[in-house]
Amino acid sequence: MEQFLQRFRSYIETHPLDTGDEDCPTVLDQLYQAYAESHESDPLEIQAGFAELEAFLEALPLSDNNAVFSICCRLCNHYERKAFIDGVQYGAQLLLELNKST
C-alpha cells in the first residue's frame, strides 16, 4: 500500500491539476467557491445585521453609504473564505493527528 501511495503522490506532484479557472487555482479554492455559491440566502442573524448596518448608513450620502456597505461586504467575504479554509485545514490536521494515534 505504501508503494502505491508513493507512486500516486509522485504522479500528483509531476502532473499538477489544471482547474481551468484562474480565480480558483487549487482544489481548496474550488471547494470554497462551491460552498459560497451554495448559499441561496443569508441566515436571519446576518439579514438582521445588514438591516442594522443599513439603518446607520441611511444618514450618509449615497456614495458614502455605498462605499461603506461595499467595504463591509468585502470584509465579510474575506472572513467567510478564511473561516472555510481554516475549517478544512483544521479538519485535515485533525485527521492526520487521529491517524497517528492509531
Side-chain angles (χ1 to χ4, degrees):
M1 181 65 145
E2 186 62 33
Q3 183 182 20
F4 171 77
L5 290 174
Q6 288 174 344
R7 289 177 62 196
F8 185 63
R9 189 173 295 125
S10 175
Y11 177 84
I12 295 298
E13 289 170 356
T14 58
H15 296 84
L17 178 68
D18 179 8
T19 65
D21 185 350
E22 58 190 50
D23 291 334
C24 295
T26 68
V27 172
L28 192 53
D29 290 325
Q30 288 191 339
L31 284 173
Y32 170 71
Q33 189 66 30
Y35 163 77
E37 290 174 1
S38 71
H39 300 309
E40 293 193 17
S41 64
D42 291 327
L44 292 178
E45 182 179 9
I46 292 174
Q47 290 177 22
F50 275 114
E52 186 178 356
L53 175 63
E54 189 59 39
F56 283 109
L57 295 177
E58 285 177 351
L60 297 177
L62 184 59
S63 62
D64 291 343
N65 178 315
N66 288 341
V68 171
F69 192 78
S70 178
I71 290 168
C72 288
C73 288
R74 190 170 59 247
L75 286 170
C76 289
N77 287 336
H78 287 301
Y79 272 108
E80 179 185 59
R81 184 177 189 284
K82 181 181 179 349
F84 177 86
I85 290 173
D86 286 354
V88 171
Q89 289 176 327
Y90 273 100
Q93 182 63 39
L94 176 61
L95 183 62
L96 290 173
E97 290 175 12
L98 291 173
N99 282 333
K100 280 184 185 177
S101 66
T102 58

